[in-house]
Amino acid sequence: MSSRLAQLEEKLAQPLSAELSSRRLNFEEGVYLYTEAPTDWLKIQANKQREMRHGQKSFYNRNIHFEPTNKCVYACKFCAFYRKPTANEADGAWDYSFENLAETLSRYPQNQLTEIHITGGVHPERGVEYGEKLCRFIKELRPHIHIKAFTAVEISFFARKSGCSISEALARLRDAGLGSLPGGGAEIFDPEIRRKIAGAKAPAHQWLEVHECAHHLGIASNATILYGHIEQYSHRVSHMLQLRELQDKTSGFNAFIPLRYRNENNALSGFPEASPEEDLRNYAISRLLLDNIPHLKAYWVMLGLELAAESMDYGVDDLDGTVDDSTKIYSMAGGIEHPGLNSAGLEQLIRKRNREPIERDSLYQPILSNVKLLPN
Ligand code: V47
Ligand code: SF4
């Protein structure tokens, strides 16, 4: 055994694998794993935790993204996507109409998609009424599609704009057809770092409040972290522990999605990106710290296919979905230019890693192959 590993074991007081399955890691231990744990060791431990939960299964779904507008009242420093609300097409701004959305959906036969993921800029003129209309419009066209829409930042703006409580905003959206919340907008919870990279946008306690209210209303959600910019390991650990605490209360989070900061075309562009090894270590530590969130997702559009495949050995059990070239958030910041894979492509990627591909719905129920109506 290497002396580093022996030290780590000493620090955590017991043989580690037993320790990890019998009690949760605390803040100091989380930071210690980031600074001291050998990558191979993290890989083994995280893989064990993944296997205990999911056996050989790896999940994916059939989805598209829709980004209604990139006009935004905020100006997060890491964001390559936003434009000022006064910007026009020549400045790279867009603001899609419901007809544009209908046209997008019409490219997909009924039942080809199980989910539409909607996030975008925070438009100054839009409140809950807009969200309700959008959800109703989609449900009319595609009654069976699951709408995973609006980050906590968008929801808290909707509520303010419409002069209602967060709980009321969420209940109205749910009644209009909203199925779950995506994990975006979490960025990093530490107040000082958050203020530096995301300015005035919803502080951490508001992000957490939106998700807590959603869970109480029976709306499941995801959680993200934006890492690899100006934060320190301690900030990542504290972010995850705040999520773990909320999950202890509500059990409403389905998946945790670490998002590596991509550094093109934004106000932080001088910063180098995290290395692939750092990404893998981060997945493994997330799996170990977040013992109460069932799924760990590698968003392949952000990571690239090769690394997303490798992440399945570091605690990841979910690769998100087919996406079908429908998002610009990452391509504008340095991610894959035209992200799209059909389900056969995702299944092949998963099988190559000796895992069993499971097509899931948005709430992680398997979709049985005999009810898959179309081949995509
Ligand atoms: O909140 C923006 C991130 C998020 C950059 O819930 C960036 O299933 C890296 O939340 N580099 C929105 N990240 C996307 C999101 C998401 C994605 C996939 C699946 C799910 C889910 C949620 O994108 C933002 C922000 O953290 N982001 N710019 C950037 N330059
Ligand atoms: Fe606006 Fe979201 Fe970009 Fe921040 S990350 S500027 S809130 S679109």
Side-chain angles (χ1 to χ4, degrees), residues 65 78-79 117 148 182-187 222 224 226 257 259-262 266 297 299 320 329-330 333:
H65 288 226
F78 55 82
C79 184
H117 168 125
K148 173 166 60 111
E187 321 312 358
N222 291 334
T224 57
L226 181 72
I257 310 152
L259 298 169
R260 182 217 304 158
Y261 159 66
R262 304 298 314 244
N266 61 53
K297 183 192 282 195
Y299 183 45
D320 198 77
I329 297 180
Y330 286 93

Side-chain angles (χ1 to χ4, degrees), residues 49-194:
Q49 294 297 321
R50 177 201 58 73
E51 199 167 356
M52 267 166 43
R53 287 171 174 79
H54 306 295
Q56 294 313 306
K57 296 180 177 131
S58 284
F59 299 89
Y60 73 94
N61 73 347
R62 278 180 290 152
N63 65 354
I64 54 165
H65 288 226
F66 181 67
E67 292 155 355
T69 185
N70 62 347
K71 294 184 180 179
C72 188
V73 297
Y74 300 117
C76 301
K77 289 222 167 73
F78 55 82
C79 184
F81 158 94
Y82 85 93
R83 294 291 182 274
K84 284 189 183 135
T86 50
N88 54 34
E89 233 177 87
D91 305 318
W94 70 80
D95 197 355
Y96 294 133
S97 63
F98 282 21
E99 286 66 40
N100 292 138
L101 171 59
E103 197 276 315
T104 302
L105 283 171
S106 72
R107 285 184 233 143
Y108 303 89
Q110 288 280 355
N111 299 317
Q112 180 166 330
L113 299 170
T114 62
E115 175 186 278
I116 183 161
H117 168 125
I118 305 175
T119 56
V122 179
H123 193 288
E125 302 306 328
R126 293 185 183 151
V128 188
E129 300 71 23
Y130 169 82
E132 289 177 300
K133 255 196 197 161
L134 190 66
C135 290
R136 292 212 166 93
F137 183 76
I138 295 169
K139 283 291 182 183
E140 250 173 49
L141 294 173
R142 290 283 190 276
H144 301 297
I145 210 165
H146 179 102
I147 305 175
K148 173 166 60 111
F150 311 127
T151 65
V153 174
E154 290 170 277
I155 301 276
S156 79
F157 188 87
F158 281 170
R160 202 156 11 113
K161 181 85 192 161
S162 299
C164 65
S165 69
I166 283 171
S167 216
E168 189 189 326
L170 284 163
R172 282 169 57 181
L173 292 167
R174 180 199 58 192
D175 295 346
L178 178 74
S180 61
L181 298 187
E187 321 312 358
I188 199 91
F189 289 153
D190 179 82
E192 199 182 326
I193 305 291
R194 189 176 183 85

Side-chain angles (χ1 to χ4, degrees), residues 126-310:
R126 293 185 183 151
V128 188
E129 300 71 23
Y130 169 82
E132 289 177 300
K133 255 196 197 161
L134 190 66
C135 290
R136 292 212 166 93
F137 183 76
I138 295 169
K139 283 291 182 183
E140 250 173 49
L141 294 173
R142 290 283 190 276
H144 301 297
I145 210 165
H146 179 102
I147 305 175
K148 173 166 60 111
F150 311 127
T151 65
V153 174
E154 290 170 277
I155 301 276
S156 79
F157 188 87
F158 281 170
R160 202 156 11 113
K161 181 85 192 161
S162 299
C164 65
S165 69
I166 283 171
S167 216
E168 189 189 326
L170 284 163
R172 282 169 57 181
L173 292 167
R174 180 199 58 192
D175 295 346
L178 178 74
S180 61
L181 298 187
E187 321 312 358
I188 199 91
F189 289 153
D190 179 82
E192 199 182 326
I193 305 291
R194 189 176 183 85
R195 195 177 37 74
K196 283 187 182 152
I197 64 165
K201 98 170 173 188
H205 70 85
Q206 238 169 55
W207 190 98
L208 290 161
E209 185 192 345
V210 170
H211 284 260
E212 183 165 2
C213 280
H215 299 170
H216 286 314
L217 289 165
I219 304 169
S221 70
N222 291 334
T224 57
I225 183 172
L226 181 72
Y227 68 93
H229 41 89
I230 57 169
E231 89 292 1
Q232 297 186 345
Y233 291 141
S234 57
H235 301 128
R236 295 191 205 176
V237 175
S238 148
H239 183 101
M240 288 187 228
L241 295 191
Q242 289 179 66
L243 291 172
R244 190 172 79 179
E245 200 180 320
L246 177 54
Q247 180 75 341
D248 278 344
K249 285 206 256 173
T250 65
S251 305
F253 289 120
N254 278 332
F256 181 60
I257 310 152
L259 298 169
R260 182 217 304 158
Y261 159 66
R262 304 298 314 244
N263 71 359
E264 287 181 18
N265 305 314
N266 61 53
L268 284 179
S269 281
F271 282 86
E273 290 183 13
S275 68
E277 185 179 2
E278 180 66 24
D279 290 328
L280 297 172
R281 292 175 62 82
N282 196 60
Y283 281 115
I285 294 169
S286 307
R287 185 62 285 167
L288 298 178
L289 279 171
L290 291 170
D291 58 358
N292 54 1
I293 298 190
H295 299 280
L296 180 63
K297 183 192 282 195
Y299 183 45
W300 65 267
V301 171
M302 180 273 289
L303 210 58
L305 285 173
E306 222 175 285
L307 200 54
E310 206 177 346

